Amino acid sequence: MNQSQRFTDTVVFITGAGGGIGRATALAFAAEGARVATTDLPGAGHQETARLITENGGTALALDCDVTDSHDVVSALDQVVSTYGRLDAAFNNAGIEQSHDTIAELDDAEWHRLLSVNLTGMYLCMKHEIRFMTAHGGGTIVNTSSGAGVMGIAGQAAYAATKHAVIGLSKSAALESISDGVRINVVAPGVIDTQMIGRVSGGTEEGRQAMVDQEPIGRLGTPEEIASAVLWLSADESAFAVGHTLIVDGGQTVG
Ligand code: NAD
């Protein structure tokens, strides 16, 4: 099969690249010729993602970056630009799930933790990526929301609040940035078969089957199916898509 090479001149920065959707997207970008900065919390697996890329002949740079820390974000972006001379694309994907609690039961610390990673982290990354991209003639940014960004989920109010907010933040930033050549969009995955879903389902076969049973398509999504959507939103093929939220969820939010 012919492998398309849409990203041969592209330097891409990916957060939460240690596993799941982030790793699959890093591998997909690299397979199409991109130089990829795989970033995540120390020890989270982003070194291994970079190794998988380089062992296949690709180019990757693994960097520790806690998205809640502006110094980490700026330092990682600085290292990408000093190594590769530019920043063309970003996939802001780092995120955490919440404990299954109603809002009345929710621990305040859990609320702040969710906001800090899923929303403030997104804000900090975009803020500095836009600055770097504007200085180098533009670029593309894809932010990760969720099906929980377009509907309410009982027991997931904090997570849903952050994922709704990602869409509002991204739409506004998209309007601010498109005239500078920075094109911002959102991917909203449904239930995707990653470690996060293993934790949410309790790690049991029954828990997993209960999730599958809610799926109109009759199965969970794969990280590669989300990677494919992210690459489309980052490619010239989607040049007229601005501030768009692409829902990829097997039909879960349709009804
Ligand atoms: P995952 O847990 O496999 O990956 C998330 C990554 O984010 C991890 O590698 C983790 O170390 C990293 N991370 C957490 N806190 C961080 C921080 N402070 N700084 C930097 N990195 C941090 O989960 P995943 O399923 O691959 O999820 C990726 C994204 O997709 C998340 O934003 C998640 O909310 C979203 N999402 C996932 C699903 C799903 O069903 N798996 C559905 C909708 C949305």
Side-chain angles (χ1 to χ4, degrees):
M1 191 202 292
N2 276 344
Q3 173 69 59
S4 89
Q5 291 282 305
R6 290 173 290 180
F7 299 102
T8 43
D9 293 323
T10 303
V11 175
V12 59
F13 178 85
I14 301 181
T15 69
I21 294 167
R23 174 175 289 174
T25 307
L27 297 178
F29 266 115
E32 293 207 34
R35 288 166 282 172
V36 185
T38 63
T39 80
D40 208 313
L41 296 173
H46 50 304
Q47 303 274 359
E48 174 62 8
T49 304
R51 194 192 63 75
L52 291 169
I53 290 172
T54 51
E55 91 176 0
N56 277 314
T59 305
L61 176 68
L63 298 167
D64 292 348
C65 176
D66 179 343
V67 295
T68 67
D69 181 335
S70 62
H71 291 103
D72 262 25
V73 171
V74 172
S75 161
L77 288 167
D78 267 336
Q79 287 180 72
V80 172
V81 172
S82 64
T83 305
Y84 297 128
R86 54 199 282 172
L87 175 68
D88 304 293
F91 177 39
N92 297 318
N93 160 76
I96 54 174
E97 70 277 16
Q98 78 160 88
S99 57
H100 192 83
D101 284 317
T102 65
I103 192 158
E105 299 161 340
L106 190 67
D107 188 59
D108 290 351
E110 176 78 344
W111 167 261
H112 289 296
R113 192 176 73 95
L114 264 288
L115 257 71
S116 172
V117 178
N118 292 2
L119 184 55
T120 305
M122 193 71 70
Y123 153 73
L124 289 173
C125 287
M126 262 207 296
K127 171 183 179 132
H128 296 293
E129 288 156 359
I130 289 167
R131 210 165 42 76
F132 277 92
M133 287 177 182
T134 303
H136 292 89
T140 60
I141 297 176
V142 179
N143 296 321
T144 304
S145 176
S146 169
V150 296
M151 65 178 190
I153 301 181
Q156 293 293 313
Y159 183 76
T162 64
K163 294 298 187 180
H164 274 71
V166 164
I167 294 176
L169 180 71
S170 304
K171 283 180 172 177
S172 306
L175 291 175
E176 291 172 4
S177 305
I178 192 63
S179 58
D180 291 324
V182 180
R183 195 163 60 82
I184 300 173
N185 290 289
V186 175
V187 67
V191 183
I192 308 302
D193 203 354
T194 68
Q195 287 187 6
M196 179 179 283
I197 286 310
R199 293 188 296 269
V200 171
S201 66
T204 64
E205 197 40 53
E206 297 72 40
R208 182 189 163 80
Q209 191 55 47
M211 297 195 116
V212 171
D213 290 345
Q214 295 169 13
E215 292 291 331
I217 201 171
R219 64 173 177 85
L220 304 186
T222 67
E224 290 73 20
E225 287 172 316
I226 303 306
S228 164
V230 174
L231 264 64
W232 182 75
L233 286 171
S234 307
D236 288 344
E237 296 155 282
S238 67
F240 207 52
V242 175
H244 179 66
T245 297
L246 180 55
I247 300 171
V248 184
D249 72 347
Q252 201 180 33
T253 61
V254 169

